[in-house]
PDB file of all heavy atoms in Angstrom:
ATOM      1  N   ILE A  15      14.429  16.092   9.854  1.00  0.00           N
ATOM      2  CA  ILE A  15      14.418  14.629   9.790  1.00  0.00           C
ATOM      3  C   ILE A  15      15.508  14.133   8.856  1.00  0.00           C
ATOM      4  O   ILE A  15      16.190  13.136   9.140  1.00  0.00           O
ATOM      5  CB  ILE A  15      13.030  14.107   9.358  1.00  0.00           C
ATOM      6  CG1 ILE A  15      11.984  14.454  10.426  1.00  0.00           C
ATOM      7  CG2 ILE A  15      13.061  12.609   9.106  1.00  0.00           C
ATOM      8  CD1 ILE A  15      10.548  14.224   9.986  1.00  0.00           C
ATOM      9  N   GLN A  16      15.704  14.826   7.749  1.00  0.00           N
ATOM     10  CA  GLN A  16      16.679  14.387   6.749  1.00  0.00           C
ATOM     11  C   GLN A  16      18.125  14.489   7.232  1.00  0.00           C
ATOM     12  O   GLN A  16      19.004  13.855   6.647  1.00  0.00           O
ATOM     13  CB  GLN A  16      16.502  15.178   5.458  1.00  0.00           C
ATOM     14  CG  GLN A  16      15.286  14.729   4.678  1.00  0.00           C
ATOM     15  CD  GLN A  16      15.102  15.519   3.398  1.00  0.00           C
ATOM     16  OE1 GLN A  16      15.183  16.740   3.403  1.00  0.00           O
ATOM     17  NE2 GLN A  16      14.864  14.799   2.313  1.00  0.00           N
ATOM     18  N   PRO A  20      18.235  10.655   5.408  1.00  0.00           N
ATOM     19  CA  PRO A  20      17.980  11.349   4.144  1.00  0.00           C
ATOM     20  C   PRO A  20      16.740  10.842   3.394  1.00  0.00           C
ATOM     21  O   PRO A  20      16.097  11.607   2.686  1.00  0.00           O
ATOM     22  CB  PRO A  20      19.242  11.093   3.327  1.00  0.00           C
ATOM     23  CG  PRO A  20      20.287  10.738   4.321  1.00  0.00           C
ATOM     24  CD  PRO A  20      19.574  10.078   5.454  1.00  0.00           C
ATOM     25  N   ASP A  21      16.416   9.579   3.550  1.00  0.00           N
ATOM     26  CA  ASP A  21      15.266   8.990   2.864  1.00  0.00           C
ATOM     27  C   ASP A  21      14.027   9.133   3.747  1.00  0.00           C
ATOM     28  O   ASP A  21      13.791   8.337   4.657  1.00  0.00           O
ATOM     29  CB  ASP A  21      15.550   7.515   2.562  1.00  0.00           C
ATOM     30  CG  ASP A  21      14.439   6.837   1.782  1.00  0.00           C
ATOM     31  OD1 ASP A  21      13.337   7.404   1.654  1.00  0.00           O
ATOM     32  OD2 ASP A  21      14.678   5.711   1.314  1.00  0.00           O
ATOM     33  N   LEU A  22      13.225  10.153   3.486  1.00  0.00           N
ATOM     34  CA  LEU A  22      12.051  10.435   4.319  1.00  0.00           C
ATOM     35  C   LEU A  22      11.029   9.308   4.289  1.00  0.00           C
ATOM     36  O   LEU A  22      10.396   9.017   5.303  1.00  0.00           O
ATOM     37  CB  LEU A  22      11.376  11.740   3.890  1.00  0.00           C
ATOM     38  CG  LEU A  22      12.093  13.017   4.293  1.00  0.00           C
ATOM     39  CD1 LEU A  22      11.358  14.232   3.730  1.00  0.00           C
ATOM     40  CD2 LEU A  22      12.234  13.117   5.794  1.00  0.00           C
ATOM     41  N   SER A  23      10.872   8.658   3.161  1.00  0.00           N
ATOM     42  CA  SER A  23       9.932   7.534   3.070  1.00  0.00           C
ATOM     43  C   SER A  23      10.363   6.411   4.004  1.00  0.00           C
ATOM     44  O   SER A  23       9.542   5.839   4.731  1.00  0.00           O
ATOM     45  CB  SER A  23       9.847   7.006   1.639  1.00  0.00           C
ATOM     46  OG  SER A  23       9.287   7.966   0.789  1.00  0.00           O
ATOM     47  N   ARG A  24      11.654   6.111   4.014  1.00  0.00           N
ATOM     48  CA  ARG A  24      12.168   5.061   4.894  1.00  0.00           C
ATOM     49  C   ARG A  24      12.028   5.475   6.359  1.00  0.00           C
ATOM     50  O   ARG A  24      11.683   4.663   7.219  1.00  0.00           O
ATOM     51  CB  ARG A  24      13.624   4.750   4.545  1.00  0.00           C
ATOM     52  CG  ARG A  24      14.252   3.664   5.373  1.00  0.00           C
ATOM     53  CD  ARG A  24      13.601   2.332   5.118  1.00  0.00           C
ATOM     54  NE  ARG A  24      14.164   1.300   5.987  1.00  0.00           N
ATOM     55  CZ  ARG A  24      13.938   0.019   5.844  1.00  0.00           C
ATOM     56  NH1 ARG A  24      13.202  -0.423   4.850  1.00  0.00           N
ATOM     57  NH2 ARG A  24      14.468  -0.846   6.672  1.00  0.00           N
ATOM     58  N   ALA A  25      12.293   6.742   6.644  1.00  0.00           N
ATOM     59  CA  ALA A  25      12.170   7.239   8.016  1.00  0.00           C
ATOM     60  C   ALA A  25      10.731   7.079   8.520  1.00  0.00           C
ATOM     61  O   ALA A  25      10.510   6.651   9.655  1.00  0.00           O
ATOM     62  CB  ALA A  25      12.600   8.703   8.092  1.00  0.00           C
ATOM     63  N   ALA A  26       9.765   7.414   7.672  1.00  0.00           N
ATOM     64  CA  ALA A  26       8.358   7.271   8.055  1.00  0.00           C
ATOM     65  C   ALA A  26       7.994   5.801   8.259  1.00  0.00           C
ATOM     66  O   ALA A  26       7.302   5.445   9.226  1.00  0.00           O
ATOM     67  CB  ALA A  26       7.459   7.905   6.995  1.00  0.00           C
TER      68      ALA A  26
END
Side-chain angles (χ1 to χ4, degrees):
I15 295 169
Q16 285 180 313
D21 183 348
L22 285 177
S23 294
R24 181 66 183 191

